[in-house]
Amino acid sequence: RAQYRTTNGRGVHALVSEWRQRRTRQDFSLRALMAEIDEAGGPEAWARAFGSSQHSPRRPATAPGGPTKAAAVYEAAREFNAIKVDCAGDITEANAAQVDRAVRTPKGIGKATSNYMLMLLGKPGVKPDTMIIRFVERAIGRQPTPAQAEALVEAAASILDVAPHKLDHAIWAYESARSQAK
């Protein structure tokens, strides 16, 4: 539910772009990211340095305590380090289940985020997020669980003979346009 691009130039896209511009290193090592976060004074200080204070989903930004997205990123990087994953190239079919568990260990990171991360790395799948659930709910006339929505989209992809992540993206684009038109 994060705003990726906003009219005032903020949002996730702007934050990530700003972070990339400020970095002195060019590698994408998770160990290096953890070191960068530690050098900044921890996850909260690191996030404040480029203007982010977002809490994980289902927590209002004003909620005291609780995990911020920066804290979840840091904890996930530590979990990856524990299973010897330091960059995207270290993720394989053989360790995909371990990677899924590692990314879902921090509070605030769930199945949709894990699936999406793996999809961005080229692994087939569906992320059962709000857009997918909303689409499936209209199709079947009741709200599905995330697991049911994922299974139904994967089944539809199989019937349509398309990759599940391509159908997922088409649904997401359709629902996104639909919600912006309201």
Side-chain angles (χ1 to χ4, degrees):
R1 284 173 230 131
Q3 293 278 328
Y4 287 93
R5 293 182 193 262
T6 64
T7 56
N8 64 2
R10 297 307 301 160
V12 174
H13 188 267
L15 289 173
V16 171
S17 293
E18 185 176 331
W19 169 70
R20 283 183 169 168
Q21 289 172 359
R22 287 186 184 187
R23 293 175 347 137
T24 56
R25 61 184 177 78
Q26 294 303 310
D27 67 332
F28 289 98
S29 158
L30 289 173
R31 282 191 297 277
L33 175 63
M34 289 187 308
E36 177 184 319
I37 292 170
D38 289 337
E39 288 168 12
E44 309 320 321
W46 175 70
R48 276 193 308 275
F50 58 92
S52 174
S53 61
Q54 288 203 351
H55 283 263
S56 58
R58 297 191 185 94
R59 278 192 77 74
T62 57
T68 61
K69 289 185 177 187
V73 164
Y74 185 74
E75 188 177 341
R78 287 180 42 208
E79 292 294 325
F80 282 129
N81 190 49
I83 62 168
K84 309 286 190 264
V85 169
D86 190 48
C87 65
D90 295 336
I91 300 173
T92 65
E93 290 297 323
N95 68 4
Q98 278 185 298
V99 167
D100 179 58
R101 277 191 302 280
V103 78
R104 290 171 56 188
T105 294
K107 288 185 188 219
I109 300 179
K111 185 161 180 61
T113 300
S114 177
N115 283 15
Y116 191 49
M117 183 196 77
L118 290 169
M119 287 165 57
L120 290 172
L121 294 173
K123 310 297 184 252
V126 172
K127 64 184 180 320
D129 65 1
T130 303
M131 300 291 194
I132 300 297
I133 290 170
R134 187 182 301 152
F135 180 86
V136 171
E137 179 178 3
R138 277 198 319 281
I140 67 173
R142 63 175 175 78
Q143 185 173 19
T145 66
Q148 290 168 334
E150 181 180 1
L152 287 168
V153 171
E154 285 179 347
S158 177
I159 291 167
L160 296 170
D161 196 28
V162 298
H165 69 281
K166 290 191 184 263
L167 181 55
D168 173 286
H169 182 71
I171 292 169
W172 182 89
Y174 172 80
E175 285 296 320
S176 182
R178 192 172 184 274
S179 65
Q180 288 177 358
K182 288 182 180 180

